[in-house]
Amino acid sequence: MSVSAVFVLDLKGKVLICRNYKGDVDMAEIDHFLPLLMTEEEEGVTCPIMMHGNVHFLWIKHTNLYLVATTNKNSNASLVYAFLYKLVEVFTEYFTELEEESIQDNFVVVYELLDELMDFGFPQTTDSKILQEYITQEGAKLEVAKTKVPTTVTNAVSWRSEGIKYKKNEVFIDVIESINLLVNANGSVMSSDIVGTVKLKTMLSGMPELRLGLNDRALFALTGRDKGKTVSMEDVKFHQCVRLSRFESDRTISFIPPDGESELMSYRINTHVKPLIWIESVIEKFSHSRVEIMVKAKGQFKKQSVANNVEVRVPVPSDADSPKFKTSTGHAKYVPEKNLAVWTIKSFPGGKEFLMRASFGLPSVENDEMEGKPPITVNFEIPYFTVSGIQVRYMKIIEKSGYQALPWVRYITQSGDYQLRSNF
Amino acid sequence: MPYLGGEETVRELRRALSNPHIQTDHLRYRNTIHRVIRLMSQGVDVSGLFSEMVKACATGDIVQKKLVYVFLCSYASVNPELSLLVINTLRKDCSDPNPMVRSLALRNMCNLRLPGLCEYVEQPLTAGLKDKAACVRRVAVLGWAKIHALLPNTEIDAAVVNELYGLLRDPDPVVMVNCLRALEEILEEEGGVAINKPIAHHLLNRLKECDVWGQSEVLSVLQRYRPRSEDELFDILSLLDPALLSHHVPIMAATLRLFLSLCSMLPAVCVSALERARGPLLAAAGSSSRELRYAALCHIQLLLRSEPGLMGEHYKRFYCGYAEPPYIKQSKIQVLVELVNDDNVAVVLDELKGYCTDVNTETSQAAINAIGSIGRSYDDRCLGILTGLLELKQEHITSAVLQTLRDLVWVSPQYGDAVCSALEKWEDQLQDTQGRGALLWLLGVYGDRLSGAPYILEDFIDGVRSEVSAEVKTELLTATLRVFLSRPAETQDMMGRLLQHCIEEELDMCVRDQALLYYRLLHCGIEDVRRVLQCGRRSDLSLGPLIGRPPEPISQWASIFNTLEPLMLGASSNGFQFGNGPELEKALNMLSFPCTRVWFLKTLCLFVVIFQAYVMCPVPRCSPESLQVALQLVNIQTLAFTAPNKLPWKMYLYTHSSHTLTPHSSTTPPNTLILAEVLQFTML
């Protein structure tokens, strides 16, 4: 990979901040970026890679910003995109929200970060945990003491500094599973999978050695145990702290955790699960007069669990007016700017079934523009429950000083990309 | 950029910067510098403050130093003389006890990008290579690459190169990787870093210590290594095997590429590597970032060219989400077409049918094309969907459907009846040039079966004066002549009018020439007309290589895997994905009817255009040999062509005008040799 320069542009194509890393591409080339993008948009063929002369623009869009990398080499595209996303990640950790204003307000830090993240077109220190140790936002204060190189830049354990101290040693484990679902208009499940993440909030002193035990099917097969429910995970991805060689040889997840919050691992499970919230919808469109919508939502999970903040988003034609709603529970409202009727149910117990009826008026003059058929989407959150049945069996914490530490575990299931195609 | 009051502000800032009161007050001084940098970021030209800023870099405050360096690096090229003043401060900083300051100074010294200053930089860089702090060594190593980029003609001292080779064994992994990067740049002319056995093994052993970026770099450098023995090769492969399943997409892709290049002689191993990497590839194609998803999809398309069966059962992973951007939808549609097999054809067609009415025109056209190309190998369900779409009466859909039908019946003439019945009650008006061309072609070919064909043609002929597209006009000429052959009574009159208009009033030379050609052809007698227009090489098996796509060897694309190129191919192939058979046929028919030399050359030009669309734009789809065979059928001989992977790709063609076939031009000497050069313009 080799990136000539990185630019951050606002939506009008004005350069907010840029950094010329290699000097082999004229910085004025960026002026061609937005016109190119506009022509592509007009033709409806936008593409994340564009070419002008022999310069390639690789770009991503984040909130109201374009992040653009230029190169004139046949470099590795996915690596460049990965780097641009890394930029977004690092900036977001610094400014919580990455947008035009935060870039302008923090340009000093942005310059400093751009300097450290990449040199001569090659990524250098990209771990935001490490960066935060020597590039701080309190740059405006005068202090000379912090100019010391952090040990982590050269440390063997690059993600954790030495000498961390807590009064009370605790570690919080969050197991979060999100369900992606795609249901056809005729009600058959086209695809469904579960994407899980295990997040840690570590508040431990010293250099503790942690071991996490899950009811991983491959592990149980390895050790010959077969009691209880097991889960087989795919595409397991770990934080860099996990010793991959040990996981590959005997499926043990052992690591020295980074301090504070971090994502320890993520996995995907490709089993067919029963859709947790099932939606049946009838949308009848009487041209020139009205649209009648009937939506039935059914909670297909255990009776003792409760889904919170359920939101069923039903698409309505863009020229609809005068909404009327009737719901058996919760409340519904019309969001005209998104062409949606949103039905919110604060708490939705398992096994229950609810109904919403809505009707909209349609103008007598028909809208010429073609509209797509947006799907119905559902958002929800079910605490104390994982669809896949994954469980943390133990978390062992060993530190030289021998302190006692408590692990806390929390499970939650939520909707990911949860779509049911409608038929109207 | 015009900025109101810019000059005034600069003057005010200069006063502030040189004000001794402010200079002694750290906070105020720093704030003034912040203002300068902010203006610079906003595009105001503040280069006039250079000398004041040079003074500001002599400070103990590291943040201020950084900002001043950012300023100096941006404007150094405008003020080369003043930059000399900075060098002293920078060199002093290079011996600062604080490693942060040392690395900062060293980095910025090289970033000034002034060739004249290189002599001052070399000494601190050499010292930097031996620095005890890793962060300084990291910078120093890349510094040499920067010097090389600045002075590409001067040799970097051999001692330095040796030193860099030595630093490959540095305890810090980033220093090691930076060394690789620097050596790659410095030794570019010699083909990059020399990778011998000890270096290769050293790199492999330390691979795990590097971060994602470093690992990708090491893996791509290792491609040049050729193991001495099969045993060594397999040791390396088994060491790298787990990385194929890595969930960092870049690492997986780099490993896969390394596998493909190491095992270029062992196709079986390549195939099993592809199968191993299938899971991670699919995961990448479902990645949450749309750009990475697109990159993965483009690479999957590449893989499918050699291993069409690779993803067969995972076709559902390529269903489009509603909110996905068009470019992803289009790549997914293209992948879906490749994945169709006996078991899933019905489901996939159903899904594609849903995409045909997509709001984005390009996407809906891609979906319609996709259904057409599935129709080449699978039942007439496709035809049902396509003809059903005609009833939607949406202009862009109708146009795409007509083009698809044309391409489809050309390959599979058995669908003719169904197409005729769909066109029987045709009464729409089309605006789109391509759609009208396709409609005319269909009318010409099925003129004998479509009762309404002459009437539709008549409408076109009546409006020919206001027709702008030459393409439609030539298509109209051919169609009218074809219909004339089967239904002379109804067509004769309007054909006369059309020919008269095209010969006497038409301004476009191509249309006029074609009309003249047909006019003379009609003079030669109806049999000749029939031979030229109806002998039709329709679905000639010998053209198979031009339409179909046999699996390619992996080596064909292995060299571009995991680079920018597959994405560019993905972007450019959208228009050409599914070939346009009839156009090719027309060109070939023309060529087989030798007339004058000028005509031949003109047709050849047309042919070259089509040929470009065919053979090169997406990537050469057929081997030159099969193209040669196809061309020989139409009396075009190939003199020479370049090797398949060479760019620009060239092909030299010639033909004889054989007098037996040219009754009216017998005066031209026989055996005229016409040479043409077909040039493939490079995409990248």
Side-chain angles (χ1 to χ4, degrees), chain A residues 20-22 46 74-76 79 85 104 111-112 119 124 126 139-140 147 149 153 190 235-236 372 421, chain B residues 30 38 41 66 98-99 113 138 146 178 185 213 247 250 283 289 291 316 327 351 359 562 564-565:
Chain A
N20 188 356
Y21 286 112
K22 258 196 139 150
T46 43
N74 190 8
S75 57
N76 184 340
L79 213 54
Y85 275 100
Q104 274 172 344
Y111 272 125
E112 284 186 68
D119 194 12
Q124 301 289 313
T126 54
T147 52
V149 195
V153 177
M190 314 267 278
D235 300 347
V236 190
R421 290 186 183 164
Chain B
R30 184 198 250 184
R38 186 185 291 273
S41 316
K66 278 184 189 169
N98 183 344
R113 295 205 189 89
R138 290 177 185 179
K146 292 180 193 169
N178 277 357
E185 301 251 335
W213 323 106
H247 291 286
S289 125
E291 287 79 16
K316 281 193 177 169
Y327 59 85
E351 183 70 16
V359 189
N562 204 22
L564 212 68
E565 219 165 311

Side-chain angles (χ1 to χ4, degrees), chain A residues 313-385:
Chain A
R313 298 156 163 266
V314 187
V316 294
S318 59
D319 49 1
D321 55 49
S322 50
K324 280 189 211 78
F325 296 106
K326 225 165 110 185
T327 56
S328 59
T329 185
H331 71 277
K333 66 168 191 280
Y334 177 42
V335 187
E337 64 272 22
K338 287 185 181 150
N339 300 324
L340 285 176
V342 180
W343 176 24
T344 323
I345 304 163
K346 276 272 168 276
S347 86
F348 193 138
K352 284 278 191 319
E353 204 176 284
F354 297 118
L355 205 71
M356 177 198 63
R357 281 176 195 283
S359 77
F360 291 87
L362 285 180
S364 52
V365 184
E366 203 161 344
N367 191 355
D368 288 339
E369 274 172 56
M370 232 213 340
E371 285 182 35
K373 289 184 191 160
I376 297 180
T377 53
V378 187
N379 292 345
F380 58 86
E381 217 178 68
I382 309 176
Y384 317 115
F385 167 75

Side-chain angles (χ1 to χ4, degrees), chain B residues 491-532:
Chain B
T491 328
Q492 192 177 12
D493 179 50
M494 58 172 114
M495 184 179 73
R497 272 189 286 140
L498 178 67
L499 283 174
Q500 190 186 14
H501 169 83
C502 288
I503 292 169
E504 289 179 358
E505 292 173 46
E506 181 55 49
L507 294 172
D508 187 289
M509 286 311 279
C510 269
V511 179
R512 217 182 128 222
D513 257 31
Q514 190 162 13
L516 275 172
L517 168 80
Y518 284 147
Y519 183 68
R520 293 199 193 111
L521 199 58
L522 286 165
H523 272 292
C524 299
I526 204 75
E527 275 320 301
D528 270 340
V529 182
R530 211 177 285 283
R531 207 185 64 230
V532 171

